[in-house]
Amino acid sequence: MKNDFRKMEDEMDRLATNMAVITDFSARISATLQDRHERITKLAGVHALLRKLQFLFELPSRLTKCVELGAYGQAVRYQGRAQAVLQQYQHLPSFRAIQDDCQVITARLAQQLRQRFREGGSGAPEQAECVELLLALGEPAEELCEEFLAHARGRLEEELRSLEAELGPSPPAPDVLEFTDHGGSGFVGGLCQVAAAYQELFAAQGPAGAERLAAFARELGSRYFALVERRLAQEQGGGDNSLLVRALDRFHRRLRAPGALLAAAGLAEAATEIVERVARERLGHHLQGLRAAFLGCLTDVRQALAAPRVAGKEGPGLAELLANVASSILSHIKASLAAVHLFTAKEVSFSNKPYFRGEFCSQGVREGLIVGFIRSMCQTAQSFCDSPGEKGGATPPALLLLLSRLCLDYETATISYILTLTDEQFLVQDQFPVTPVSTLCAEARETARRLLTHYVKVQGLVISQMLRKSVETRDWLSTLEPRNVRAVMKRVVEDTTAIDVQVGLLYEEGVRKAQSSDSSKRTFSVYSSSRQQGRYAPSYTPSAPMDTNLLSNIQKLFSERIDVFSPVEFNKVSVLTGIIKISLKTLLECVRLRTFGRFGLQQVQVDCHFLQLYLWRFVADEELVHLLLDEVVASAALRCPDPVPMEPSVVEVICERG
Amino acid sequence: CFPDTVLIYTLSTARALTPQTAETDAIRFLVGTQSLKYDNQIHIIDFDDENNIINKNVLLHQAGEIWHISASPADRGVLATCYNRTSDSKVLTCAAVWRMPKELESGSHESPDDSSSTAQTLELLCHLDNTAHSNMACVVWEPMGDGKKIISLADNHILLWDLQESSSQAVLASSASLGGKGQLKFTSGRWSPHHNCTQVATANDTTLRGWDTRTMSQIYCIENAHGQLVRDLDFNPNKQYYLASCGDDCKVKFWDTRNVTEPVKTLEEHSHWVWNVRYNHSHDQLVLTGSSDSRVILSNMVSISSEPFGHLVDDDDISDQEDHRSEEKSKEPLQDNVIATYEEHEDSVYAVDWSSADPWLFASLSYDGRLVINRVPRALKYHILL
């Protein structure tokens, strides 16, 4: 074993020695080969350099070839590769020459690229390539941006021009939907492409580049909007909202893409603004339409009222006219509501904008359109009350009556109906204050009241004038013994009856004070009322102040003040009472200005009795007619130097004879 | 201190009332009665401001029932009436100038009980000759004149008279008449205190007209001034182009005669014909109206008055401090409003007028013969004065 180990050790030593010898040999060989190796390496380096040099020397021709072949990409790549070296060794004359050549060629290349870029026929992707290559050639980016945009501008302006041509000075232009479609696909589509390409190419340009694009989009966009607005303005007169809303929808929808792409340009906001403006204008248009419809209704009513009555064949009655007017206006309102409702339809792209969810519904539709219309209706109606021709000739009384009833109906039902309808259709959900129904109703009621009051005044005046003329033009001193009721009194009763019928068509009867059934039997005698006697008894003998006061107090007990123009209530009796009060008060004042002979007084007696016979049934409190007619007769008696009244029975006979 | 209202005096049916224009110390009104059956009278109503009582004297006016009365601005004893005379079943409205007994000119303060027995008669000075013209609607004196010039309105004629020989003779100086279709008839007229008293305004039907008394030619014409008959008019005493009118359309309108197309202001407070409108002589914002709705309304028309910013105090009268305060006050916008509605009457009020002596006092007369004397509310009076 030990031997074995020793042997092994010896062998190991021998091996070591061998190895050393081998190493030595190897080193020697290496040393011998070293020189050659170095030379080979050097040769390889020279070869590479030579190839590079060859490339460089061939570069101009290659570039030329590439340019000639149109392989611009290749050319740009070569140029890129050589650029640095040439730059480095440009101090060597031979390289300098190459560089100069290359520069010339590159310039030509760039020129050709630009040329291609400018020609533009090749479409956007290729253009983008051109830009890319030009950028790679180290052309200044800003200049390229400008050029790119200028080029895009050219194309977009063409789109705009074609749109403008469609706008045309004269119809037939394509309808608004077609127009916005063209604009959308042509201009807006183009703009989108340009923006996308720009952003892709010039992303490296940072905010300055983006700003340039935004300014570009803003400028062209505003020109586009101007055209769209001009087109939309042409639609203002039209009645068809659905087409308009669809067009607006397209318009708005198409602008969402560039809007998202170019938030800075504010295109989407501007588009929304345009849509809002159009919506507002539509509301105004509908308000005008409603007003015009109302005025049209009034004209129709006037014509119907003025139309000569064919004997035996009644024209449409007042109630019918009223129903026509009311239903016509209501249907107009509903049509308008339906038309503007399109703006808020769910499928419409702009309906979820805050304006259309809030302000449009509350301020626009509810306040502007509906409340505005009702107000204007009231105003129009009221304007009939202060027509300058105060003699009432301008406005037929029946129209006043009809309008008054219309306003009253609005107060009681229609307004709340319309507003409920509006609120349901346009879910109002903003904080703007809206006119409460009660306020509007109060306005309508006030209008109705003023109209009815005016009606009373006008009709009262008509009858007053008859009575007045009849008193003023007659010679009451030398009149003959009365045999008949004067024709004018019959006329008064006839007219009052006609008014009663007219008012009855539109207004309810009203409450009448219960009276003795026999009031028509009451006959006028001059001294029938004890009050009159006391009142006008001469008190020339100056009495003590005590007595005077007492007397006046007693008078106060008996007389109650009659308000000639007391507020009119909305019923027939109240209206008639007003008219009769005005008429009889006029009669009284006129009588007091005349002097009567005995027969004159008797004639007044007869006339008043006749009026009493027929007028009491029209008024709320027949005592009122008694009082006024009493006063008329008493005043006539006072204005008569020789007051011998007619026997009541005779008065009755004359009156019954008619 | 007495209450702002009310002294009521009742006589018989009446519609003619005037202050005793020439009297500037005592508060005195003349009222003419209207009766066809009894002798008519003129009641001289003296209001004793200190004791708040009324003294009266009665004068007989036997010529006929009095429709209009006006007092001379120069002579306390002279007055003119328009009266009806009925003869041969014809009614003639005449006008005459009268003189009252000397002792009544300044009122007598005897106990009223005695006066009944001693009803005195008016002395007739002259008739405003009515042979050519009948139906004298009213007589107006030249304001601030010597009481020698009067104008009467008869049907469609406007007649200017010179009173001569101590008013015992009336000479027709000049006249003019309305031409035109239909029966035109003057209802009322007033003599302007401005322009040297050369202008008169008249009302006929719904029209107001201005006349130059020197040439008797029309200066201006306000057609359809009111929707119905114009009953009365009055000149603003302090603003020369302003006048007020009232009529059967229940309205009171204020006009600038330089622009006659539109009234400056319209009041619509009465509910029946407005028969009378009168500016206060000193404070023209106070306007009085009487109506056949039996009401008298006192309005404050400050916005169109000569004192639109309140009373302008003379600089001498006030210290700087007060000056400052009054400036402040003057800046407040003053509103036109109705000051008061007087409801003491139960019949149509046909006449209202201010006292010529006390600017804060006025009288109104209704058909039933009730004369009511009222004062401007004290608060307003102090507001205007201070």
Side-chain angles (χ1 to χ4, degrees), chain A residues 110-145:
Chain A
Q111 211 169 348
Q112 283 195 7
L113 280 173
R114 287 197 183 209
Q115 185 65 33
R116 253 183 89 187
F117 178 61
R118 272 194 211 105
E119 274 165 9
S122 39
E126 281 165 49
Q127 267 197 320
E129 196 199 339
C130 285
V131 172
E132 210 172 342
L133 294 177
L134 282 168
L135 275 177
L137 280 178
E139 295 283 320
E142 243 171 72
E143 208 175 289
L144 282 177
C145 289

Short mmCIF file of all heavy atoms in Angstrom, two decimals, chain A residues 110-145:
data_model
loop_
_atom_site.label_atom_id
_atom_site.label_comp_id
_atom_site.label_asym_id
_atom_site.label_seq_id
_atom_site.Cartn_x
_atom_site.Cartn_y
_atom_site.Cartn_z
N ALA A 110 -34.76 65.61 -48.63
CA ALA A 110 -35.71 66.34 -47.78
C ALA A 110 -36.68 67.12 -48.64
O ALA A 110 -37.89 67.15 -48.40
CB ALA A 110 -34.95 67.27 -46.84
N GLN A 111 -36.11 67.70 -49.67
CA GLN A 111 -36.97 68.50 -50.55
C GLN A 111 -38.03 67.62 -51.19
O GLN A 111 -39.21 67.99 -51.24
CB GLN A 111 -36.10 69.12 -51.62
CG GLN A 111 -36.64 70.45 -52.08
CD GLN A 111 -35.61 71.15 -52.92
OE1 GLN A 111 -34.43 70.75 -52.99
NE2 GLN A 111 -36.03 72.19 -53.57
N GLN A 112 -37.55 66.45 -51.64
CA GLN A 112 -38.52 65.56 -52.28
C GLN A 112 -39.60 65.13 -51.29
O GLN A 112 -40.78 65.07 -51.60
CB GLN A 112 -37.81 64.34 -52.84
CG GLN A 112 -37.10 64.66 -54.13
CD GLN A 112 -36.71 63.41 -54.87
OE1 GLN A 112 -37.09 62.30 -54.46
NE2 GLN A 112 -36.00 63.57 -55.95
N LEU A 113 -39.09 64.82 -50.07
CA LEU A 113 -40.06 64.42 -49.05
C LEU A 113 -41.09 65.52 -48.81
O LEU A 113 -42.29 65.30 -48.76
CB LEU A 113 -39.34 64.09 -47.75
CG LEU A 113 -38.70 62.70 -47.69
CD1 LEU A 113 -37.87 62.56 -46.44
CD2 LEU A 113 -39.78 61.63 -47.73
N ARG A 114 -40.58 66.72 -48.66
CA ARG A 114 -41.49 67.84 -48.44
C ARG A 114 -42.44 68.00 -49.60
O ARG A 114 -43.62 68.29 -49.42
CB ARG A 114 -40.70 69.11 -48.25
CG ARG A 114 -40.02 69.14 -46.91
CD ARG A 114 -39.60 70.50 -46.55
NE ARG A 114 -38.90 70.45 -45.28
CZ ARG A 114 -38.88 71.44 -44.43
NH1 ARG A 114 -39.50 72.55 -44.72
NH2 ARG A 114 -38.23 71.32 -43.30
N GLN A 115 -41.82 67.81 -50.79
CA GLN A 115 -42.65 67.92 -51.97
C GLN A 115 -43.82 66.95 -51.88
O GLN A 115 -44.97 67.33 -52.05
CB GLN A 115 -41.78 67.61 -53.20
CG GLN A 115 -42.50 67.82 -54.52
CD GLN A 115 -42.84 69.30 -54.70
OE1 GLN A 115 -42.09 70.17 -54.24
NE2 GLN A 115 -43.95 69.59 -55.34
N ARG A 116 -43.46 65.72 -51.56
CA ARG A 116 -44.49 64.70 -51.46
C ARG A 116 -45.52 65.09 -50.40
O ARG A 116 -46.71 64.94 -50.54
CB ARG A 116 -43.85 63.36 -51.06
CG ARG A 116 -43.81 62.37 -52.19
CD ARG A 116 -43.26 61.09 -51.68
NE ARG A 116 -44.28 60.25 -51.16
CZ ARG A 116 -44.04 59.10 -50.53
NH1 ARG A 116 -42.80 58.73 -50.28
NH2 ARG A 116 -45.01 58.33 -50.13
N PHE A 117 -44.94 65.57 -49.31
CA PHE A 117 -45.77 65.96 -48.17
C PHE A 117 -46.77 67.04 -48.58
O PHE A 117 -47.94 67.01 -48.26
CB PHE A 117 -44.82 66.46 -47.08
CG PHE A 117 -45.50 66.95 -45.85
CD1 PHE A 117 -46.29 66.10 -45.11
CD2 PHE A 117 -45.32 68.26 -45.42
CE1 PHE A 117 -46.89 66.56 -43.97
CE2 PHE A 117 -45.93 68.71 -44.28
CZ PHE A 117 -46.72 67.85 -43.54
N ARG A 118 -46.21 67.97 -49.38
CA ARG A 118 -47.06 69.08 -49.77
C ARG A 118 -48.12 68.66 -50.77
O ARG A 118 -49.23 69.09 -50.71
CB ARG A 118 -46.21 70.18 -50.38
CG ARG A 118 -45.68 71.11 -49.31
CD ARG A 118 -45.13 72.37 -49.90
NE ARG A 118 -44.05 72.82 -49.02
CZ ARG A 118 -42.78 72.70 -49.33
NH1 ARG A 118 -42.43 72.20 -50.49
NH2 ARG A 118 -41.86 73.10 -48.50
N GLU A 119 -47.71 67.81 -51.68
CA GLU A 119 -48.65 67.43 -52.72
C GLU A 119 -49.89 66.83 -52.11
O GLU A 119 -51.01 67.03 -52.57
CB GLU A 119 -48.00 66.43 -53.69
CG GLU A 119 -47.25 67.15 -54.78
CD GLU A 119 -46.33 66.20 -55.52
OE1 GLU A 119 -46.42 64.97 -55.29
OE2 GLU A 119 -45.52 66.69 -56.32
N GLY A 120 -49.67 66.10 -51.07
CA GLY A 120 -50.80 65.73 -50.21
C GLY A 120 -51.70 64.71 -50.82
O GLY A 120 -52.60 64.23 -50.15
N GLY A 121 -51.52 64.40 -52.08
CA GLY A 121 -52.46 63.47 -52.70
C GLY A 121 -52.36 62.09 -52.08
O GLY A 121 -53.27 61.28 -52.21
N SER A 122 -51.31 61.86 -51.36
CA SER A 122 -51.03 60.50 -50.94
C SER A 122 -51.77 60.08 -49.67
O SER A 122 -51.62 58.96 -49.22
CB SER A 122 -49.53 60.33 -50.74
OG SER A 122 -49.01 61.50 -50.14
N GLY A 123 -52.51 60.98 -49.12
CA GLY A 123 -53.33 60.58 -47.95
C GLY A 123 -52.56 60.68 -46.67
O GLY A 123 -51.34 60.71 -46.64
N ALA A 124 -53.33 60.70 -45.60
CA ALA A 124 -52.76 61.02 -44.29
C ALA A 124 -51.68 60.04 -43.82
O ALA A 124 -50.65 60.50 -43.31
CB ALA A 124 -53.88 61.11 -43.28
N PRO A 125 -51.85 58.69 -43.96
CA PRO A 125 -50.82 57.79 -43.40
C PRO A 125 -49.46 58.03 -44.04
O PRO A 125 -48.45 58.10 -43.35
CB PRO A 125 -51.35 56.41 -43.73
CG PRO A 125 -52.79 56.58 -44.02
CD PRO A 125 -52.95 57.95 -44.54
N GLU A 126 -49.47 58.18 -45.39
CA GLU A 126 -48.19 58.38 -46.06
C GLU A 126 -47.57 59.70 -45.65
O GLU A 126 -46.37 59.82 -45.48
CB GLU A 126 -48.38 58.32 -47.56
CG GLU A 126 -48.48 56.88 -48.04
CD GLU A 126 -49.04 56.82 -49.44
OE1 GLU A 126 -48.52 57.58 -50.29
OE2 GLU A 126 -49.98 56.04 -49.67
N GLN A 127 -48.47 60.64 -45.49
CA GLN A 127 -47.98 61.94 -45.05
C GLN A 127 -47.29 61.80 -43.72
O GLN A 127 -46.23 62.38 -43.47
CB GLN A 127 -49.16 62.87 -44.89
CG GLN A 127 -49.40 63.66 -46.14
CD GLN A 127 -50.27 64.82 -45.80
OE1 GLN A 127 -51.20 64.66 -45.02
NE2 GLN A 127 -49.99 65.95 -46.39
N ALA A 128 -47.96 61.04 -42.86
CA ALA A 128 -47.38 60.84 -41.55
C ALA A 128 -45.98 60.26 -41.70
O ALA A 128 -45.06 60.66 -40.98
CB ALA A 128 -48.26 59.90 -40.74
N GLU A 129 -45.85 59.34 -42.65
CA GLU A 129 -44.53 58.74 -42.89
C GLU A 129 -43.52 59.82 -43.29
O GLU A 129 -42.42 59.88 -42.78
CB GLU A 129 -44.65 57.69 -43.99
CG GLU A 129 -43.46 56.77 -44.03
CD GLU A 129 -43.37 56.07 -45.36
OE1 GLU A 129 -44.42 56.01 -46.05
OE2 GLU A 129 -42.30 55.60 -45.72
N CYS A 130 -43.97 60.66 -44.21
CA CYS A 130 -43.09 61.74 -44.64
C CYS A 130 -42.60 62.53 -43.46
O CYS A 130 -41.41 62.84 -43.33
CB CYS A 130 -43.85 62.69 -45.57
SG CYS A 130 -44.08 62.02 -47.19
N VAL A 131 -43.58 62.88 -42.59
CA VAL A 131 -43.22 63.70 -41.44
C VAL A 131 -42.20 62.96 -40.59
O VAL A 131 -41.20 63.52 -40.15
CB VAL A 131 -44.48 64.04 -40.64
CG1 VAL A 131 -44.10 64.70 -39.34
CG2 VAL A 131 -45.38 64.93 -41.46
N GLU A 132 -42.48 61.65 -40.43
CA GLU A 132 -41.58 60.84 -39.61
C GLU A 132 -40.17 60.90 -40.18
O GLU A 132 -39.19 61.11 -39.46
CB GLU A 132 -42.10 59.40 -39.62
CG GLU A 132 -41.79 58.64 -38.37
CD GLU A 132 -42.50 57.30 -38.40
OE1 GLU A 132 -43.46 57.16 -39.20
OE2 GLU A 132 -42.12 56.42 -37.66
N LEU A 133 -40.06 60.70 -41.49
CA LEU A 133 -38.75 60.69 -42.13
C LEU A 133 -38.07 62.03 -42.02
O LEU A 133 -36.88 62.13 -41.75
CB LEU A 133 -38.91 60.29 -43.61
CG LEU A 133 -39.39 58.86 -43.82
CD1 LEU A 133 -39.59 58.59 -45.30
CD2 LEU A 133 -38.41 57.88 -43.23
N LEU A 134 -38.88 63.06 -42.24
CA LEU A 134 -38.30 64.39 -42.17
C LEU A 134 -37.77 64.66 -40.78
O LEU A 134 -36.71 65.26 -40.60
CB LEU A 134 -39.35 65.44 -42.55
CG LEU A 134 -39.59 65.54 -44.06
CD1 LEU A 134 -40.82 66.38 -44.32
CD2 LEU A 134 -38.38 66.14 -44.74
N LEU A 135 -38.53 64.20 -39.81
CA LEU A 135 -38.07 64.37 -38.44
C LEU A 135 -36.74 63.64 -38.26
O LEU A 135 -35.82 64.16 -37.64
CB LEU A 135 -39.10 63.81 -37.47
CG LEU A 135 -40.24 64.76 -37.07
CD1 LEU A 135 -41.21 64.04 -36.18
CD2 LEU A 135 -39.69 65.99 -36.40
N ALA A 136 -36.69 62.42 -38.82
CA ALA A 136 -35.47 61.63 -38.69
C ALA A 136 -34.32 62.34 -39.37
O ALA A 136 -33.17 62.23 -38.94
CB ALA A 136 -35.68 60.25 -39.29
N LEU A 137 -34.60 63.07 -40.42
CA LEU A 137 -33.55 63.80 -41.11
C LEU A 137 -33.10 65.02 -40.32
O LEU A 137 -32.27 65.79 -40.77
CB LEU A 137 -34.06 64.26 -42.48
CG LEU A 137 -34.05 63.18 -43.56
CD1 LEU A 137 -34.62 63.75 -44.83
CD2 LEU A 137 -32.65 62.67 -43.78
N GLY A 138 -33.79 65.20 -39.18
CA GLY A 138 -33.38 66.30 -38.33
C GLY A 138 -33.91 67.64 -38.78
O GLY A 138 -33.41 68.68 -38.45
N GLU A 139 -35.02 67.61 -39.55
CA GLU A 139 -35.66 68.88 -39.91
C GLU A 139 -36.24 69.48 -38.63
O GLU A 139 -36.69 68.76 -37.74
CB GLU A 139 -36.79 68.63 -40.92
CG GLU A 139 -36.33 68.11 -42.24
CD GLU A 139 -35.73 69.21 -43.08
OE1 GLU A 139 -36.29 70.32 -43.07
OE2 GLU A 139 -34.69 68.97 -43.74
N PRO A 140 -36.31 70.80 -38.51
CA PRO A 140 -36.85 71.40 -37.27
C PRO A 140 -38.34 71.02 -37.07
O PRO A 140 -39.14 71.21 -37.99
CB PRO A 140 -36.68 72.90 -37.49
CG PRO A 140 -36.43 73.06 -38.96
CD PRO A 140 -35.84 71.78 -39.46
N ALA A 141 -38.65 70.49 -35.88
CA ALA A 141 -40.00 69.96 -35.61
C ALA A 141 -41.05 71.06 -35.70
O ALA A 141 -42.14 70.85 -36.22
CB ALA A 141 -40.01 69.33 -34.21
N GLU A 142 -40.71 72.24 -35.19
CA GLU A 142 -41.71 73.31 -35.16
C GLU A 142 -42.20 73.63 -36.57
O GLU A 142 -43.39 73.74 -36.82
CB GLU A 142 -41.10 74.55 -34.55
CG GLU A 142 -41.76 74.96 -33.26
CD GLU A 142 -40.98 76.05 -32.60
OE1 GLU A 142 -41.04 77.18 -33.14
OE2 GLU A 142 -40.31 75.78 -31.60
N GLU A 143 -41.18 73.70 -37.43
CA GLU A 143 -41.51 74.03 -38.81
C GLU A 143 -42.43 72.96 -39.38
O GLU A 143 -43.40 73.25 -40.07
CB GLU A 143 -40.22 74.10 -39.61
CG GLU A 143 -40.27 75.02 -40.80
CD GLU A 143 -38.89 75.08 -41.42
OE1 GLU A 143 -37.98 75.68 -40.79
OE2 GLU A 143 -38.72 74.51 -42.50
N LEU A 144 -42.09 71.73 -39.02
CA LEU A 144 -42.90 70.64 -39.53
C LEU A 144 -44.31 70.72 -38.99
O LEU A 144 -45.28 70.50 -39.72
CB LEU A 144 -42.26 69.29 -39.16
CG LEU A 144 -41.09 68.92 -40.04
CD1 LEU A 144 -40.48 67.62 -39.57
CD2 LEU A 144 -41.56 68.77 -41.48
N CYS A 145 -44.43 71.01 -37.69
CA CYS A 145 -45.78 71.17 -37.10
C CYS A 145 -46.56 72.17 -37.92
O CYS A 145 -47.69 71.92 -38.33
CB CYS A 145 -45.67 71.72 -35.68
SG CYS A 145 -45.01 70.56 -34.51
#
